[in-house]
Amino acid sequence: MAQSEDLPIFKAAYDLLEQLVTLSKDLPKFFRYSMGTRMVDLCLDMLGLIYRANMSQEGRLQALTDLLIDYRQLLMLLRMVYRQKALSSGKYAELITLLDTIGRQATGWRQKTLD
């Protein structure tokens, strides 16, 4: 079993966290303290769930299911911030690309666990 930090899903989630921390500093005050903080927290939770899913077979399915739930919540918050014009199109595309990578890998990992 690979170290969690070496997994592509972990690297994508960590890159996303770095970008979200930087982004939240630049958001308008309302978005910074409501949605920006929540997005960073969700990303941190996702990193923890990746660790948990990688640790053992027991609990892997639940950790991956929780990871996909957090992924969907983060996707919704990013979409809301973008639609409220607090995020540029370019930055939104960058973040969505990272999120898509995480979602695809988590879905594949979960599917493999189910098989």
Side-chain angles (χ1 to χ4, degrees), residues 3-4 9 14 20 22 28 35 40 42 45 47 53 60 64 70 81 95 102 114:
Q3 292 289 332
S4 296
I9 190 172
Y14 190 83
L20 287 173
T22 302
M35 295 183 193
V40 169
L42 280 168
D45 291 346
L47 285 165
R60 177 175 290 172
L64 291 169
D70 286 353
V81 171
L95 294 170
I102 294 165
L114 287 170

Side-chain angles (χ1 to χ4, degrees), residues 96-114:
I96 289 298
T97 301
L98 279 173
L99 250 179
D100 184 56
T101 299
I102 294 165
R104 286 176 190 265
Q105 290 179 48
T107 301
W109 196 1
R110 184 175 183 276
Q111 192 61 41
K112 186 175 178 184
T113 301
L114 287 170

Side-chain angles (χ1 to χ4, degrees), residues 17 20-21 23-25 27 29-45 74 77 81:
L17 176 62
L20 287 173
V21 167
L23 169 72
S24 66
K25 293 178 197 175
L27 289 174
K29 190 175 184 179
F30 171 76
F31 291 106
R32 183 179 331 134
Y33 293 114
S34 58
M35 295 183 193
T37 301
R38 181 74 177 125
M39 289 188 294
V40 169
D41 289 344
L42 280 168
C43 198
L44 286 168
D45 291 346
L74 185 52
L77 287 171
V81 171

Side-chain angles (χ1 to χ4, degrees), residues 49-98:
L49 290 165
I50 292 167
Y51 271 120
R52 187 174 302 143
N54 192 47
M55 287 177 68
S56 71
Q57 286 291 99
E58 296 173 24
R60 177 175 290 172
L61 185 58
Q62 185 61 51
L64 291 169
T65 301
D66 292 345
L67 174 62
L68 287 167
I69 290 169
D70 286 353
Y71 157 79
R72 285 288 183 189
Q73 289 178 4
L74 185 52
L75 184 62
M76 184 243 348
L77 287 171
L78 269 175
R79 189 174 296 137
M80 177 60 69
V81 171
Y82 173 69
R83 287 185 176 174
Q84 294 296 315
K85 310 274 191 246
L87 183 60
S88 73
S89 320
K91 192 56 152 174
Y92 177 69
E94 228 177 289
L95 294 170
I96 289 298
T97 301
L98 279 173

